[in-house]
Amino acid sequence: MGFEAKEKAVDKLLNDAIYYIPRNQRRYVWNSANWTDIYDDILLVVDKIADSHFIGSIVLKDEGKEDGLSKYTVIDGQQRILTLTIYLISIMFMFKKRDLMDDFGGTQKYLVAKDIKNNMREIVYPEYHLTIPNMVKNILDMEQKEIERLSISAFSNMCLISQKKDKNVIDAFKFFANKLNALENEKILQIRDALIAISYVNIISSTEEDSYTIFEILNARGLDLEDYELLKNYIMRYLQPIETRDDAKKIWEEIESNLGKNQKAFLRHYALHKYNYNSYKKQGLSVYKTIEKATKGRNVNLLLNDLRLKAQLYYQILFPEENGLEYEIFNFFKKYKFEQIRPLIMSLKHQKMLENLSDELYEEILKFLYTFIVAYKIIGEENSNKLSDTIYKYASLIENDYSDSKIQECIKALNEKLPTLDSFTNSFKNLGWSNHWGRYKDSKNKERCQLVLEMIEKYISNREINIPVTIEHILPDCENIENAQIGNLFYLEKSLNEQCADKKLEEKIEIYEKSSLMAPVGFTKRYKNKDFKPQSRTDFLARLIYNNVLRIDNK
């Protein structure tokens, strides 16, 4: 491994060189906590409480010369380099605003360098965050009188290239500029001097492989970087041939762009479905270390392509096409935050795509998973975390060793966790909703009842509900807490429900008969001129759902 490591000061870093930060590098994510830390640390130096400030190591790849200037690609340390640059821009802004032009001129060499063609070049050039070079250009080109008239926010808005990409950049500039604006000129000069005197370890590698190796060593503990960032570096380090790395960076950017904030969850679910991460987790390994241990630097091109494919499948789980079975079931899982199921669904979708899993069997298991969750979690109120080991086990088996028998084994293993009819009925009796009783007021109770009532109506009418409906309490729920329970409820058109207010059951039945829904009409046929006991109807509905709607095998 060939590299050079020296301790230097920032005035040697940001001077007569160009630092290029590619688009595929980590975005600028530092926030007010990070900015406060570096601002306070510099003040400790200015106030002579500390002798100096050290910011760690910066890993660079030597790209040779460009128009007489040394050029480097930043491998690790971009957050620090960008923050230092933004801090210096804010200092330059205050120098020009306060007509401290000598100090302004003496500081600009830390933002721009002159090449052999006599062109001024930005020392730090982040390809993704173009607002930063634009700020440098404006701070240098604008007349002192123009800057003097501008507020901090006005200058920020003038320089902003992309609100989506550069909000953190602008917020950082405003943070430092507002801090400096409250200080005397002499204090700002002292801050400038302390800033350029910051020490760091400068690590320069001549090859891309060595750069990525150094990066991984420095971040091996994973304290500062997310698993997906470490994985990206790992792939770039071992990818062969070298010429394919530019394409790999584009693929990673595509994954990052499609998944956005879901990238972290995706990678964890990917490791679960592909490498049975749950077993590695018990050994104390991270997601990244699990993938690294499983692949050992081999065939990382296949790993990258698989990540790209699975990211597409994951996106389809998160945002299914409207209409159809997947849309209904995936949105149901999302609504009830049943994320554990995603690794299994990824495996199922992949095997379906490979035509190992038939469309018919795929739909069958999706329907089973839906009814399973209704029985287990929505009605039974069991903790879904108890299912994790079983789901993750079969996600990995179905992905890596597929057979139709594995599907049946999965169904059987989950079925064994379902309640008996008696247990299901007891849980079912806890369903209810009412504004009059604290036990049933919770909005989650209402959601559970709505799901069950919709399920019943769709089953007996064999059609979707496409009209405005509300929950009807057959007997007044204000009179008795038992009347808040599920056996006393059904869906009714909103217009008819309003007509039922303060009426006796005999009068309501005449209104129910006008309904286009089957549950209220069926109720009138069953109970017209007869006694109605909600508890009996609760038992009846429990058996109906268990045996006919969910079709659970009675154990």
Side-chain angles (χ1 to χ4, degrees):
M1 184 188 298
F3 67 93
E4 170 188 318
K6 292 183 180 179
E7 184 172 349
K8 291 187 176 183
V10 165
D11 65 344
K12 301 299 182 183
L13 173 72
L14 302 178
N15 204 327
D16 290 329
I18 301 170
Y19 298 91
Y20 175 71
I21 303 176
R23 287 179 60 86
N24 67 288
Q25 289 281 22
R26 188 185 189 194
R27 309 302 186 231
Y28 186 65
V29 297
W30 273 22
N31 54 36
S32 58
N34 305 111
W35 307 326
T36 299
D37 284 345
I38 193 168
Y39 181 80
D40 290 345
D41 288 340
I42 293 299
L43 281 185
L44 291 176
V45 176
V46 169
D47 296 336
K48 302 188 184 307
I49 297 172
D51 293 331
S52 62
H53 182 55
F54 178 70
I55 58 169
S57 59
I58 292 175
V59 181
L60 307 169
K61 178 181 177 293
D62 189 351
E63 304 287 2
K65 295 280 188 178
E66 186 172 295
D67 295 331
L69 295 173
S70 297
K71 182 179 179 182
Y72 304 96
T73 295
V74 179
I75 302 298
D76 188 30
Q78 63 267 37
Q79 301 295 312
R80 285 159 285 169
I81 289 177
L82 291 177
T83 301
L84 292 172
T85 301
I86 296 167
Y87 203 162
L88 283 167
I89 292 170
S90 69
I91 290 171
M92 293 278 280
F93 176 81
M94 297 311 300
F95 282 163
K96 189 170 257 192
K97 191 174 183 65
R98 298 184 181 187
D99 200 19
L100 302 173
M101 296 309 294
D102 289 340
D103 297 307
F104 178 90
T107 307
Q108 77 172 41
K109 66 179 182 178
Y110 304 115
L111 293 180
V112 291
K114 186 177 289 188
D115 65 22
I116 56 176
K117 295 181 180 179
N118 205 34
N119 295 319
M120 301 303 290
R121 304 282 297 275
E122 294 90 1
I123 288 176
V124 177
Y125 192 86
E127 191 179 37
Y128 188 83
H129 296 293
L130 296 179
T131 290
I132 292 177
N134 196 40
M135 292 176 87
V136 172
K137 183 178 185 304
N138 285 336
I139 203 75
L140 294 177
D141 292 349
M142 293 178 70
E143 296 294 330
Q144 189 273 328
K145 293 294 183 184
E146 293 178 270
I147 293 285
E148 189 177 28
R149 290 193 295 268
L150 287 176
S151 68
I152 293 168
S153 292
F155 179 75
S156 301
N157 293 336
M158 177 187 298
C159 298
L160 183 63
I161 298 294
S162 169
Q163 175 69 21
K164 181 180 178 181
K165 294 180 179 179
D166 293 326
K167 183 181 184 302
N168 263 27
V169 169
I170 292 300
D171 287 348
F173 171 78
K174 289 179 179 178
F175 174 88
F176 292 121
N178 282 312
K179 289 285 188 182
L180 297 172
N181 197 38
L183 302 178
E184 299 294 331
N185 292 346
E186 183 62 27
K187 195 81 165 183
I188 298 176
L189 282 167
Q190 292 172 346
I191 286 175
R192 189 276 313 271
D193 293 342
L195 192 68
I196 61 176
I198 287 175
S199 61
Y200 70 102
V201 175
N202 193 54
I203 303 175
I204 300 176
S205 171
S206 59
T207 69
E208 191 167 16
E209 289 84 357
D210 286 349
S211 299
Y212 286 123
T213 300
I214 295 164
F215 173 92
E216 181 166 326
I217 292 169
L218 292 173
N219 292 284
R221 294 178 65 193
L223 297 177
D224 296 323
L225 297 178
E226 296 284 1
D227 284 315
Y228 60 83
E229 293 168 317
L230 289 167
L231 182 61
K232 176 179 70 175
N233 175 75
Y234 170 75
I235 290 172
M236 300 308 164
R237 175 185 173 189
Y238 289 107
L239 193 67
Q240 295 293 338
I242 294 174
E243 292 76 20
T244 62
R245 287 178 182 167
D246 285 341
D247 289 336
K249 291 169 185 175
K250 291 177 183 177
I251 291 173
W252 193 272
E253 191 171 273
E254 173 192 322
I255 294 171
E256 202 171 45
S257 175
N258 286 340
L259 294 180
K261 65 180 182 181
N262 297 296
Q263 190 173 358
K264 183 176 180 179
F266 159 70
L267 193 60
R268 184 169 65 86
H269 290 151
Y270 174 83
L272 285 163
H273 111 110
K274 183 75 174 179
Y275 303 111
N276 194 14
Y277 164 58
N278 226 28
S279 61
Y280 287 97
K281 185 179 179 182
K282 291 172 182 176
Q283 302 172 33
L285 295 183
S286 65
V287 168
Y288 164 65
K289 282 296 181 183
T290 295
I291 297 174
E292 180 196 40
K293 186 172 182 178
T295 55
K296 299 178 181 177
R298 298 176 183 272
N299 298 320
V300 292
N301 57 324
L302 298 180
L303 169 62
L304 179 61
N305 288 332
D306 195 54
L307 283 164
R308 179 194 216 172
L309 170 63
K310 301 304 170 50
Q312 292 169 352
L313 298 181
Y314 199 78
Y315 182 88
Q316 293 167 15
I317 296 169
L318 295 175
F319 308 104
E321 292 185 9
E322 291 193 17
N323 302 318
L325 185 66
E326 284 192 343
Y327 182 78
E328 178 183 352
I329 292 178
F330 293 171
N331 281 329
F332 167 78
F333 291 147
K334 186 187 297 185
K335 179 178 180 179
Y336 290 98
K337 297 180 173 60
F338 192 60
E339 295 184 4
Q340 294 102 316
I341 205 71
R342 291 178 189 170
L344 179 58
I345 293 178
M346 254 200 297
S347 298
L348 294 169
K349 285 180 70 66
H350 186 216
Q351 294 301 335
K352 177 175 173 286
M353 188 190 75
L354 295 174
E355 298 185 349
N356 293 326
L357 174 61
S358 68
D359 292 346
E360 293 77 15
L361 187 52
Y362 173 71
E363 291 190 0
E364 179 184 322
I365 192 168
L366 284 190
K367 290 175 183 176
F368 165 78
L369 292 172
Y370 170 80
T371 57
F372 174 86
I373 296 307
V374 171
Y376 184 88
K377 182 176 173 66
I378 309 303
I379 296 175
E381 292 191 287
E382 291 286 350
N383 188 337
S384 55
N385 288 331
K386 295 178 181 178
L387 302 172
S388 296
D389 285 349
T390 300
I391 289 174
Y392 299 154
K393 171 187 174 182
Y394 283 98
S396 180
L397 282 174
I398 290 169
E399 170 65 17
N400 297 302
D401 188 24
Y402 179 80
S403 67
D404 285 357
S405 63
K406 293 289 192 305
I407 299 287
Q408 300 307 323
E409 286 177 23
C410 178
I411 291 174
K412 181 180 178 182
L414 290 173
N415 254 325
E416 290 173 354
K417 297 182 179 295
L418 285 172
T420 62
L421 176 58
D422 288 343
S423 177
F424 180 87
T425 302
N426 288 334
S427 297
F428 192 76
K429 289 177 180 178
N430 292 326
L431 285 171
W433 178 75
S434 171
N435 278 324
H436 296 285
W437 305 98
R439 176 180 172 185
Y440 293 112
K441 272 187 178 181
D442 191 284
S443 60
K444 291 183 179 178
N445 286 324
K446 186 175 183 180
E447 286 184 3
R448 293 169 68 211
C449 287
Q450 287 173 326
L451 176 66
V452 171
L453 294 178
E454 182 178 355
M455 185 181 291
I456 292 169
E457 180 60 40
K458 286 169 68 173
Y459 172 73
I460 59 179
S461 65
N462 197 29
R463 59 188 171 89
E464 298 292 328
I465 301 175
N466 297 315
I467 55 175
V469 294
T470 57
I471 295 177
E472 162 68 1
H473 289 83
I474 301 166
L475 297 178
D477 55 320
C478 60
E479 293 181 358
N480 192 314
I481 191 170
E482 283 75 21
N483 291 347
Q485 295 174 359
I486 191 72
N488 193 49
L489 313 178
F490 52 55
Y491 262 155
L492 186 64
E493 290 92 334
K494 187 176 180 181
S495 58
L496 295 180
N497 186 281
E498 291 169 352
Q499 298 176 35
C500 292
D502 301 323
K503 287 185 170 59
K504 294 180 179 180
L505 180 56
E506 294 79 11
E507 298 172 290
K508 285 185 174 184
I509 283 181
E510 294 179 4
I511 298 172
Y512 297 161
E513 288 177 324
K514 300 175 185 178
S515 177
S516 61
L517 301 174
M518 294 304 295
V521 171
F523 177 86
T524 63
K525 291 178 179 178
R526 185 179 182 91
Y527 292 105
K528 190 172 184 179
N529 300 320
K530 295 179 181 178
D531 289 338
F532 167 59
K533 295 181 180 180
Q535 294 85 347
S536 297
R537 186 168 180 264
T538 297
D539 291 338
F540 167 76
L541 292 178
R543 290 193 299 274
L544 175 74
I545 291 175
Y546 192 89
N547 294 322
N548 300 90
V549 181
L550 300 180
R551 291 182 294 178
I552 299 172
D553 291 333
N554 200 337
K555 294 189 278 291

